[in-house]
Amino acid sequence: MRLEAITWDRLADRLAERLAGLKPADGSAWPRVALDGAPAALPGDLAERVAEALRLRGLPSLVVGTEGFLRPASLRLEHGHRDAESYYGGWFDTNALWREVFGPLDPGGTGRVLPDLWDPATDRATRSPYIQLPPGGLLLLCGPLLLRHWFPFDLTVHLLLSPGALRRRTPESEHWTLPAFERYEAESDPAGVADVLVRADDPRHPAWNG
């Protein structure tokens, strides 16, 4: 696949242009967008840039990071602190994401989204207030392993790192997660199925498929 060089600011601007005309396929009033990538690819940073570009166009959006929907430590660390299988299938509370994020944005939903649920530092509920996303407002969900859960996204963006770049940019203390991302590539092919592909090997010089 041919990719063209772009700056992060220009990328956010181009994505916002595309999102401005995005219509949910299921008739929902709220377009739902994935910014998928390993933590080392910084999908949350791109989500915030896109949110700002949308704001400048007068379009409301809400960035939700999956790190706010981790399961309690007693569940996600049941098999140890460095179990790649648990990270792949048991760290993120997908049921809560369906209930608190996607459910309210279904056709006929309320638009009241919970931006986060669990604080992994304190291992307690965040007790954050619900946020009312107005009709036409966009959900920007960012985090790893997003494209394996059948979430009803209207546009998907995958931030791709080569195996070498992923290893270099992942802190050594988190190298135990790398097999989970190898499995994700093999089973879900995020680079092949995403609507938009961004290569982020060099954090200063991204490239994308336009």
Side-chain angles (χ1 to χ4, degrees), residues 4 9 18 39 61-62 86 97 99 108 116 123 131 133 178 187 190 192 199 210:
E4 65 177 70
D9 286 340
R18 183 165 178 176
S61 65
L62 175 64
S86 293
L97 283 166
R99 182 181 68 250
D116 52 57
D123 201 33
I131 294 177
L133 193 60
L178 298 180
E187 294 184 355
R199 180 173 286 280

Side-chain angles (χ1 to χ4, degrees), residues 118-200:
W118 201 258
D119 184 342
T122 62
D123 201 33
R124 296 176 182 272
T126 58
R127 303 189 184 280
S128 295
Y130 284 86
I131 294 177
Q132 185 69 49
L133 193 60
L138 293 99
L139 168 71
L140 305 177
L141 183 68
C142 54
L145 313 173
L146 291 179
L147 306 186
R148 58 178 294 266
H149 298 297
W150 301 101
F151 291 139
F153 293 118
D154 300 297
L155 187 92
T156 55
V157 180
H158 176 64
L159 283 81
L160 174 66
L161 292 176
S162 67
L166 177 60
R167 177 170 288 273
R168 288 193 306 272
R169 295 181 57 186
T170 299
E172 188 172 349
S173 62
E174 298 174 13
H175 277 188
W176 62 271
T177 64
L178 298 180
F181 293 108
E182 293 174 7
R183 180 178 174 186
Y184 181 49
E185 294 287 339
E187 294 184 355
S188 300
D189 185 25
V193 302
D195 298 307
V196 176
L197 181 64
V198 179
R199 180 173 286 280

Side-chain angles (χ1 to χ4, degrees), residues 3-171:
L3 302 176
E4 65 177 70
I6 194 169
T7 66
W8 288 112
D9 286 340
R10 181 61 178 154
L11 174 60
D13 196 57
R14 293 283 297 276
L15 286 173
E17 289 176 3
R18 183 165 178 176
L19 296 178
L22 185 63
K23 301 297 182 184
D26 62 1
S28 169
W30 302 275
R32 296 143 298 190
V33 181
L35 293 107
D36 172 66
L42 304 178
D45 285 9
L46 180 56
E48 293 292 348
R49 288 176 184 265
V50 172
E52 175 62 14
L54 289 168
R55 185 189 68 80
L56 293 175
R57 288 169 168 77
L59 294 171
S61 65
L62 175 64
V63 175
V64 174
T66 56
E67 70 275 7
F69 285 86
L70 291 177
R71 301 173 77 201
S74 61
L75 297 176
R76 70 177 188 274
L77 304 179
E78 182 179 4
H79 300 288
H81 287 253
R82 297 191 171 194
D83 186 85
E85 290 296 310
S86 293
Y87 180 79
Y88 185 77
W91 269 47
F92 298 96
D93 194 341
T94 55
N95 288 334
L97 283 166
W98 279 106
R99 182 181 68 250
E100 304 290 359
V101 178
F102 287 102
L105 304 182
D106 280 342
T110 64
R112 292 181 70 248
V113 175
L114 190 65
D116 52 57
L117 178 65
W118 201 258
D119 184 342
T122 62
D123 201 33
R124 296 176 182 272
T126 58
R127 303 189 184 280
S128 295
Y130 284 86
I131 294 177
Q132 185 69 49
L133 193 60
L138 293 99
L139 168 71
L140 305 177
L141 183 68
C142 54
L145 313 173
L146 291 179
L147 306 186
R148 58 178 294 266
H149 298 297
W150 301 101
F151 291 139
F153 293 118
D154 300 297
L155 187 92
T156 55
V157 180
H158 176 64
L159 283 81
L160 174 66
L161 292 176
S162 67
L166 177 60
R167 177 170 288 273
R168 288 193 306 272
R169 295 181 57 186
T170 299

